[in-house]
Amino acid sequence: MLNESTVAVLEQTGAAEPEKRIRDRSATERAILKAAKNLLAEEGFQNFGINAVARRAGCDKQLIYRYYGGLDGLVEAIGADLGNWVKDRIPEDTGGMFLLTYGDLMERLSLLFLEALRDDPLMRRIVAWEISENTEQVRRLSEARSKALGLWLDRMRGSLTPPKGIDTAAVNALIFASIQHLVLSAAAGGQCAGLVLKNGKDWEKAAGALKRLVRGVYG
Amino acid sequence: MLNESTVAVLEQTGAAEPEKRIRDRSATERAILKAAKNLLAEEGFQNFGINAVARRAGCDKQLIYRYYGGLDGLVEAIGADLGNWVKDRIPEDTGGMFLLTYGDLMERLSLLFLEALRDDPLMRRIVAWEISENTEQVRRLSEARSKALGLWLDRMRGSLTPPKGIDTAAVNALIFASIQHLVLSAAAGGQCAGLVLKNGKDWEKAAGALKRLVRGVYG
DNA sequence: CCGGTCTGTCACCAATCGGTGAGTAACAGC
DNA sequence: GCTGTTACTCACCGATTGGTGACAGACCGG
C-alpha cells in the first residue's frame, strides 16, 4: 500500500519494478482509513467509492473488503472518529471570558462552531452528505455527529440554566442550522443567499450578524 | 416518448407490441423536461444522468442531446423555470396582515419561505445540490435561484425601510440559511441537530422558534 | 524443512455510465 | 408518386463501477 518506507526504498533505488510491499496489516488499515477520509474531504461523497479509495490508498480494493467489510464498514470507521471531533477541533476553554449568561454561552459556542466547521473540510462534506442522501451509511454518520455535538453542548452549558419561556432546543437547532448552511454554501460557491463569503472581512461580517442573531433571541 | 396519447392508445388496445409514437417534437421536449424535474425531485442529483432521464421520459437519450444539447442544456432549462418559482409557490398577498415594520415583513417572509420550501421537493434537491457540488451546471442553477429570491425579497420589501445599524444582508442570509438547512435536514432524516421534525406539531415549534429568532434581531 | 495462515495482487465478471453514428419511419413540398 | 427533411430508435463504443475467486509470496509454528 505504498506506505512511507516503500516510497523511501523506491526513491533510493530508483527502481521502476514493483518492490515488494511491507506486510503490515495495521499500517495498511490506517492507510486505507486515512485515504478514505482525505478522499471524502477533498472530492466529496459524489465519487466516494471502493475503487477510488483503493486507488488513493495505493492498495487493492480487496483489502478494503477484508479489513473493513466493504464501504459500509469503512464509513462506520470514519464515524467512530467523529466522536472525537469536538475534542480535537474545538478549544475547551472559554477564551478567557466569563460566561455569565446563557446568551454569553451561546454566542461563544456559535462562533466556535462556525470557525471549527470552516476549518474542517471533512466535516463539511459529511454534513452535506447528511442532507443529500438518506442511506443507512449516512444515517450512522449523522447519528454519531449529532450525538457528539449534543454532548459538547451539554458539557459546555455546565450549570448554566437556560432562559425560561424559550424553546432552546428549537432555537439552537435553527442557529446551528444557519451556521452549517452558511459555511457549506460558502465552501461550495463562495456565497450564501447573495452574501459573498470569501475573504476574512466577509466572514467578520457574517460572524457579527451571527452574534446579533444570538444576542437578539437570548439577550 | 410515451406521451399521454400513446399511453391512452396502449391502454385501449392492450397491445404489448410497440405502437408507433406520435411525432410531436414539442410534446417530447416537454415530456423530457418533466421527466428530468420529477427525477431530480424524487431521486436527487445522485443518480441524475442522461440514461436515467431518458428512461423515465420513455424516449431515447439521443433526443436529449438533440433537443437540449445534453444534460447541461437540460439543467439550464430547469433553471429557466426557477425564475417563476416564487410566483408559483409563494402567495403574493400578505395574508390580510399589515406589514408595518421591517420585522413584520421578515417574519412573514421567513414563514412563507419555510412553508414553500417544505412543499417543494425539487427545490429542496436543488438547494442540496448547490452545497454539495461546484460544477458549472450547479452554479447556473444556484445563480438563477438566488436571483429570483433576491427579486422577491426586494419586491415584497416595497417602500419599507430596513433598520439602521444592522447588516440586513448578512442577517437575512443567516435567517434564510437556517430555514434551508432546517428543511433539508428534516427532509433527509426527519430531524435537525437533534430536533425531531416529523409531524405538524414539530413544525409549529420550529416556526415559533423562527419567529422568535427574527423578532429578536429585528424587533 | 514442511504445511498452514496471513497479506497482498491480479484477472475477471456483469452492469452501468456518457456519448456517437447509422439507420428507419412518418411527414411536407413538389 | 418521388424527394428531402424531421422525429425517433437502435446498436455499439470505451470507460468505470462494485464485487469475487484464484493465486503468489512472506511469515510462523511444528
Side-chain angles (χ1 to χ4, degrees):
Chain A
M1 22 39 266
L2 267 183
N3 38 33
E4 306 81 341
S5 358
T6 311
V7 173
V9 167
L10 285 174
E11 285 173 351
Q12 284 169 12
T13 61
E17 57 261 30
E19 296 274 343
K20 299 300 175 188
R21 306 268 164 79
I22 295 180
R23 290 164 55 93
D24 184 342
R25 168 159 180 169
S26 72
T28 306
E29 284 180 1
R30 274 183 278 114
I32 291 174
L33 185 58
K34 184 178 172 186
K37 286 163 73 174
N38 287 341
L39 181 68
L40 186 54
E42 292 168 24
E43 308 284 334
F45 55 93
Q46 305 285 351
N47 301 66
F48 185 74
I50 284 279
N51 291 307
V53 172
R55 211 177 301 130
R56 176 173 279 242
C59 73
D60 196 277
K61 57 183 169 183
Q62 175 75 20
L63 298 183
I64 300 178
Y65 286 107
R66 270 220 266 280
Y67 298 156
Y68 290 95
L71 251 197
D72 294 3
L74 189 50
V75 169
E76 206 152 354
I78 293 180
D81 278 5
L82 247 56
N84 303 327
W85 182 74
V86 169
K87 161 168 82 58
D88 292 344
R89 317 283 305 198
I90 303 188
E92 278 293 316
D93 63 3
T94 56
M97 294 168 148
F98 292 101
L99 304 181
L100 297 177
T101 70
Y102 194 80
D104 293 339
L105 173 71
M106 284 310 299
E107 175 185 318
R108 175 90 185 130
L109 294 192
S110 299
L111 294 177
L112 282 177
F113 183 65
L114 174 69
E115 264 191 58
L117 195 59
R118 223 155 73 75
D119 287 344
D120 189 340
L122 175 61
M123 188 55 73
R124 288 201 306 262
R125 296 292 192 178
I126 290 176
V127 174
W129 204 0
E130 283 178 18
I131 62 171
S132 302
E133 253 180 352
N134 195 13
T135 62
E136 191 58 34
Q137 279 184 1
V138 174
R139 230 171 291 133
R140 298 234 185 96
L141 274 185
S142 179
E143 196 177 340
R145 198 180 67 86
S146 81
K147 189 174 157 194
L149 206 65
L151 284 177
W152 175 62
L153 239 146
D154 273 358
R155 193 159 43 80
M156 293 297 276
R157 178 161 51 81
S159 56
L160 232 49
T161 56
K164 304 285 178 194
I166 296 185
D167 185 351
T168 56
V171 169
N172 289 342
L174 274 170
I175 291 173
F176 278 78
S178 76
I179 296 172
Q180 291 186 29
H181 198 88
L182 191 84
V183 174
L184 293 210
S185 184
Q191 56 180 330
C192 175
L195 182 71
V196 174
L197 289 165
K198 295 187 172 170
N199 55 47
K201 212 168 160 59
D202 301 332
W203 282 104
E204 278 179 30
K205 284 169 66 177
L210 180 59
K211 273 195 222 175
R212 257 195 195 274
L213 211 61
V214 174
R215 284 303 185 179
V217 70
Y218 284 135
Chain B
M1 17 43 259
L2 270 185
N3 37 33
E4 305 84 339
S5 0
T6 311
V7 172
V9 168
L10 285 176
E11 282 172 353
Q12 285 169 13
T13 62
E17 59 260 31
E19 295 272 345
K20 297 303 175 187
R21 307 268 164 78
I22 295 180
R23 289 163 54 92
D24 185 341
R25 168 159 181 169
S26 73
T28 306
E29 284 180 1
R30 271 182 281 116
I32 291 174
L33 185 57
K34 185 178 172 186
K37 286 163 74 174
N38 287 342
L39 181 69
L40 185 54
E42 292 168 24
E43 307 284 334
F45 54 93
Q46 305 285 349
N47 301 67
F48 185 75
I50 284 278
N51 291 307
V53 172
R55 211 177 301 130
R56 177 173 276 242
C59 72
D60 197 275
K61 58 182 169 183
Q62 176 75 22
L63 299 183
I64 300 178
Y65 286 107
R66 272 220 257 284
Y67 298 157
Y68 290 96
L71 252 197
D72 293 3
L74 188 51
V75 169
E76 206 151 355
I78 294 178
D81 278 4
L82 247 56
N84 303 326
W85 182 74
V86 169
K87 161 168 80 59
D88 293 344
R89 317 282 306 198
I90 303 189
E92 276 294 314
D93 62 3
T94 56
M97 295 170 147
F98 292 99
L99 303 181
L100 297 177
T101 70
Y102 194 81
D104 295 339
L105 173 72
M106 284 310 298
E107 176 185 317
R108 175 91 186 129
L109 295 192
S110 298
L111 294 177
L112 282 176
F113 184 65
L114 174 69
E115 266 192 56
L117 194 59
R118 223 154 72 75
D119 288 342
D120 189 339
L122 175 60
M123 189 55 73
R124 288 202 305 263
R125 296 293 192 175
I126 290 177
V127 174
W129 204 359
E130 283 177 20
I131 62 171
S132 301
E133 253 181 352
N134 194 13
T135 62
E136 191 58 34
Q137 278 184 1
V138 175
R139 230 170 289 134
R140 296 234 185 96
L141 274 185
S142 178
E143 195 177 341
R145 198 180 66 86
S146 81
K147 189 174 156 193
L149 206 67
L151 284 177
W152 175 61
L153 240 147
D154 273 358
R155 191 160 44 79
M156 294 296 277
R157 177 162 52 81
S159 57
L160 233 48
T161 54
K164 304 287 178 194
I166 297 185
D167 186 352
T168 57
V171 169
N172 289 342
L174 274 171
I175 291 173
F176 279 79
S178 76
I179 297 171
Q180 292 186 25
H181 197 87
L182 191 84
V183 174
L184 292 210
S185 184
Q191 56 180 333
C192 176
L195 182 71
V196 174
L197 289 166
K198 294 185 174 170
N199 55 46
K201 213 168 157 61
D202 300 332
W203 282 105
E204 277 177 31
K205 284 168 66 176
L210 180 59
K211 272 194 220 173
R212 255 193 197 277
L213 211 62
V214 174
R215 286 302 184 180
V217 70
Y218 284 137

